[in-house]
Amino acid sequence: MKALGRFLHVVGLPLRRNVLFFVAMYVLGVYCAWATTPASKSIYSNLWLELLLDLYVLCAVLALLPRRVRRWVRGVVAVVLYVVAVADVYCYSHFGSTISPTMLLLVGETNGREAGEFLHSMVSANVLLGKVGGVLLIALLHGVIGFITSHISGLSIPSGARPPVAFPKGEGSIMSSERKVTTPLSLWRGVGGEAVLLALLVWAAVASWPNKKAMHTLFTADTIGRVEHLLTRADRANLYVPVWRLAFSIQANRLAAQQITQLTHASTDLRVDSCDFRSPDIVLIIGESFGPHHSQQYGYRMPTTPRQLKREKSGLLTRYTDVVAPWNLTSFVFKNIFSMHVVGEQGEWCDRPLFPMLFRKAGYRVRFLTNQFLPKAKEEVYDFSGGFFLNHEELSAKMFDERNVRLYTYDEGLLDEYDRMASAHAQQPTLTIFHLMGQHVTYRQRYPRDRQHFDADDYKEWRTELNERKRRSVAEYDNAVLYNDSIVDQICRRFENREAVVIYMPDHGEECYEENRNFTCRRHSAAIDYKLAKYEFQIPFWIWCSRSYVKKNPEVYRQIVESKNRRLMTDALPHLLLYLGGIASPEYHAEYNVIADEYNEMRPRILKGTTDYDRLRPANEE
């Protein structure tokens, strides 16, 4: 029994030596969880136990330090945790996002004047009376109680002046006295409180193990892409307190910086041997979340792409029939389609230069208009992962002559942005890249209200397995497809009187209650079966040529038309683009150019770097 008593005494030692710190940090953690959780969501279910476990471990480390050192270290740790909490709650209150990799990136780009304005805003009445004020109040109470107890602990309390409620004695306690008094902590111990504490810690360890394991996997990931992929999983880590979110943001920025270094090295010795500007105007339109299964062009029964269908019937638009994306995540797709690296080659995407750099070096003017990848405070890690290399100051300057600086509610805003850019440099050969928001969830936010064409009743007779809410979602998705049809048509219109070639491809597919799969968006499981590949990796792909382009480049037009049934994965896109530009470079390989005679159509199309698409596909669908 004595041994058990000594063991329980040791179990309780970290809290006895740091009781005020533990209580204050626990209250802070719970408050931050409440202050940064949207009203529509529930607080992390394991908050109470996991926070207890984390703080106990921290207190155990502090308890090992010598008393004088412990007091200073504990103070520094408390200040750091309060500062991080203030920043996290402030960011959530004002930007709708807690500390994130992009937020940290923006902080790193802040100059002295902007920092001063930020600090000034932090002490405004609105901030102090809002959720940030709650963090400051906890810090103030912590400091006041700590100050009082540190001074009272050295005073003798006369027996007639004992406080009605006594406090724990000893370093780190709320109050101590020269007299031996009965305290709440001693009563707690007397009734087996330390045994209860031990039981709670065991319970917390068991309950927290899955999240701790996921956090370890996340923090030990070796690439930013791997980080993003881990965060798409159902068992992803929950970074439930501000300090974990800060640590993750630092890690994500560090991994991104590593790939920036590799890209910078790959772009130092770009070589372009010659360029005949075969296509004076090249336009690449990258859509979002669109599979052929909701495209009228590809046989869908709803009239979702009438303008594209009309252009196809004119003979100027060539529709490809067998195209897949290498990933079902935008960021991974962007890395693959911008890099000259092709899936199956040695190395990583960041080991090879990005194709816009070669166009600029060859003499093309390169424009980039994106409605997604601009750094912003409220940005998911997926957008950070996809856009960090596009938004890096040095790399962006090497890739683009012009780019937009704001995002738009609807994609038509990019058309106005392009019109402003196109008013100058009209005669210079140009590569223009449009990156649309397309059909990205939430679908009803992707088109103006006055552009609604379909409603739930349109699907009542032939989608009988769906209830009204799900039919409404399908209608909203199809409305987004129809609106996207108008945007890509408007882009083509701007080049009808020029010698131009336009390529359209979404980044990946999308599911919207397909067959009996009963969900929308995408699944990110490691295993890929054919149904998942069909709906999330198959994409529409077409090339439109203006009449003047066909007249001046009949051979290229012939190659395009004759290649429309070839197998293609879009990671090889840069090689097609270089060919269309007439750019001769060691980076170009004809076996990856879908319209070249040397094209290797049987190159394995490996999805997510793991699964051969053509081995999944049934013979009757080939």
Side-chain angles (χ1 to χ4, degrees):
M1 290 299 294
K2 288 185 177 180
L4 178 60
R6 285 195 295 270
F7 174 72
L8 292 176
H9 177 79
V10 172
V11 169
L13 192 63
L15 299 194
R16 287 197 304 275
R17 289 185 173 178
N18 303 281
V19 60
L20 177 58
F21 173 82
F22 175 84
V23 172
M25 293 302 101
Y26 196 89
V27 172
L28 177 66
V30 172
Y31 177 81
C32 288
W34 169 80
T36 59
T37 300
S40 59
K41 296 184 178 180
S42 301
I43 290 178
Y44 175 47
S45 60
N46 198 46
L47 167 69
W48 312 97
L49 288 173
E50 193 160 350
L51 184 59
L52 169 68
L53 180 67
D54 284 353
L55 287 175
Y56 180 85
V57 171
L58 177 57
C59 289
V61 173
L62 291 172
L64 297 174
L65 301 175
R67 180 175 178 178
R68 291 181 180 274
V69 175
R70 177 163 65 248
R71 293 177 60 187
W72 285 103
V73 172
R74 188 170 57 211
V76 170
V77 171
V79 169
V80 169
L81 294 179
Y82 279 122
V83 169
V84 174
V86 166
D88 193 65
V89 174
Y90 178 88
C91 288
Y92 181 81
S93 300
H94 288 74
F95 305 118
S97 170
T98 53
I99 293 174
S100 67
T102 302
M103 201 82 71
L104 201 63
L105 190 65
L106 293 173
V107 169
E109 297 173 352
T110 301
N111 58 37
R113 179 180 63 83
E114 292 168 333
E117 292 173 353
F118 171 77
L119 292 175
H120 183 266
S121 70
M122 284 285 289
V123 296
S124 66
N126 289 337
V127 172
L128 296 179
L129 295 176
K131 290 182 176 180
V132 172
V135 178
L136 299 177
L137 179 61
I138 296 170
L140 177 63
L141 291 174
H142 186 181
V144 168
I145 295 174
F147 177 81
I148 293 174
T149 56
S150 65
H151 283 71
I152 292 180
S153 62
L155 300 177
S156 175
I157 304 177
S159 59
R162 292 181 184 174
V165 179
F167 295 89
K169 183 179 178 180
E171 195 277 328
S173 65
I174 296 179
M175 184 180 291
S176 63
S177 134
E178 288 184 350
R179 298 177 179 271
K180 186 174 182 180
V181 295
T182 300
T183 68
L185 187 58
S186 62
L187 287 173
W188 170 259
R189 293 166 57 192
V191 296
E194 287 169 338
V196 174
L197 173 61
L198 178 60
L200 285 173
L201 290 173
V202 172
W203 183 14
V206 172
S208 304
W209 171 249
N211 194 47
K212 292 308 181 192
K213 182 180 179 182
M215 287 175 64
H216 176 267
T217 303
L218 181 66
F219 282 111
T220 55
D222 56 357
T223 67
I224 187 63
R226 173 66 176 160
V227 164
E228 179 193 1
H229 188 53
L230 289 171
L231 291 177
T232 64
R233 293 169 46 167
D235 59 348
R236 61 186 174 272
N238 190 310
L239 307 174
Y240 71 101
V241 287
V243 70
W244 287 133
R245 293 192 279 269
L246 176 62
F248 165 70
S249 299
I250 293 172
Q251 170 73 347
N253 275 273
R254 185 185 69 81
L255 294 175
Q258 289 178 353
Q259 295 193 332
I260 289 293
T261 300
Q262 290 174 262
L263 284 171
T264 302
H265 178 74
S267 64
T268 53
D269 297 315
L270 290 180
R271 181 178 148 193
V272 172
D273 297 328
S274 64
C275 179
D276 63 13
F277 302 103
R278 180 181 289 127
S279 307
D281 273 299
I282 302 174
V283 182
L284 172 62
I285 308 172
I286 306 173
E288 171 68 52
S289 302
F290 183 27
H293 318 290
H294 283 258
S295 170
Q296 182 185 8
Q297 266 188 302
Y298 286 81
Y300 187 53
R301 67 186 294 173
M302 303 299 282
T304 55
T305 58
R307 301 168 187 86
Q308 294 168 70
L309 190 60
K310 183 178 179 180
R311 289 187 179 276
E312 182 180 351
K313 290 179 179 179
S314 75
L316 298 176
L317 185 152
T318 301
R319 173 176 58 91
Y320 283 69
T321 60
D322 190 0
V323 183
V324 296
W327 278 82
N328 58 350
L329 278 169
T330 303
S331 56
F332 278 83
V333 171
F334 259 72
K335 292 166 186 173
N336 278 276
I337 65 174
F338 268 73
S339 172
M340 296 304 301
H341 179 271
V342 170
V343 173
E345 292 182 328
Q346 289 186 343
E348 296 184 76
W349 70 275
C350 51
D351 294 328
R352 300 286 291 279
L354 308 173
F355 78 82
M357 297 178 179
L358 292 165
F359 272 84
R360 282 205 70 208
K361 190 172 182 66
Y364 273 85
R365 187 168 192 83
V366 182
R367 295 177 174 134
F368 181 53
L369 298 103
T370 177
N371 211 15
Q372 289 190 55
F373 287 158
L374 290 180
K376 52 189 180 295
K378 190 176 181 180
E379 181 175 64
E380 297 289 347
V381 69
Y382 322 112
D383 289 332
F384 170 80
S385 177
F388 74 89
F389 68 98
L390 299 171
N391 296 321
H392 185 265
E393 185 175 0
E394 180 183 346
L395 294 178
S396 179
K398 288 184 177 182
M399 285 187 283
F400 311 123
D401 294 281
E402 299 170 277
R403 57 180 299 173
N404 59 308
V405 294
R406 59 163 294 191
L407 301 174
Y408 296 90
T409 303
Y410 305 114
D411 284 332
E412 60 195 73
L414 293 183
L415 301 177
D416 297 332
E417 189 86 49
Y418 170 77
D419 291 340
R420 287 191 289 271
M421 291 182 182
S423 60
H425 309 286
Q427 303 305 315
Q428 184 177 355
T430 303
L431 167 67
T432 304
I433 304 170
F434 287 90
H435 175 210
L436 308 179
M437 185 62 79
Q439 292 86 287
H440 196 290
V441 291
T442 302
Y443 310 134
R444 65 177 178 274
Q445 298 176 1
R446 301 283 81 87
Y447 56 92
R449 295 300 90 186
D450 61 356
R451 300 293 292 274
Q452 179 172 322
H453 180 79
F454 307 108
D455 60 40
D457 288 344
D458 294 325
Y459 303 84
K460 200 168 186 178
E461 293 184 2
W462 64 286
R463 296 301 306 270
T464 55
E465 78 281 9
L466 302 179
N467 60 30
E468 184 176 359
R469 179 185 62 81
K470 293 177 181 179
R471 292 197 304 271
R472 189 183 309 116
S473 292
V474 175
E476 290 167 350
Y477 183 75
D478 285 351
N479 281 321
V481 175
L482 183 60
Y483 177 70
N484 180 74
D485 178 67
S486 71
I487 298 300
V488 298
D489 182 67
Q490 284 295 322
I491 293 174
C492 291
R493 285 175 181 267
R494 283 161 169 75
F495 293 90
E496 282 182 328
N497 297 320
R498 299 165 69 169
E499 191 179 336
V501 56
V502 178
I503 299 173
Y504 173 73
M505 51 157 280
D507 52 358
H508 49 69
E510 181 83 348
E511 302 212 35
C512 189
Y513 299 116
E514 311 305 334
E515 299 184 33
N516 60 349
R517 292 170 67 77
N518 198 36
F519 75 96
T520 62
C521 197
R522 277 154 284 127
R523 287 180 175 167
H524 300 289
S525 60
I528 303 174
D529 58 19
Y530 178 65
K531 287 294 179 67
L532 189 143
K534 176 180 179 180
Y535 293 117
E536 300 186 16
F537 290 84
Q538 288 183 8
I539 58 171
F541 185 99
W542 51 253
I543 301 177
W544 174 84
C545 303
S546 67
R547 293 190 182 278
S548 60
Y549 185 88
V550 173
K551 184 177 180 179
K552 293 186 178 182
N553 299 275
E555 179 61 20
V556 176
Y557 175 70
R558 179 194 64 79
Q559 290 176 300
I560 291 172
V561 173
E562 292 181 354
S563 65
K564 66 180 182 180
N565 293 319
R566 288 178 175 175
R567 298 177 177 181
L568 173 65
M569 189 164 74
T570 54
D571 62 316
L573 177 71
H575 298 270
L576 167 63
L577 293 172
L578 260 64
Y579 177 79
L580 292 175
I583 298 173
S585 168
E587 295 294 336
Y588 170 75
H589 298 286
E591 64 265 33
Y592 302 140
N593 172 16
V594 68
I595 71 173
D597 293 336
E598 303 91 336
Y599 179 64
N600 178 16
E601 188 178 359
M602 303 311 294
R603 177 176 73 97
R605 294 187 285 181
I606 306 300
L607 309 182
K608 296 177 72 169
T610 62
T611 306
D612 189 327
Y613 168 77
D614 293 294
R615 291 182 179 271
L616 290 177
R617 187 167 54 170
N620 61 353
E621 294 200 26
E622 293 184 7

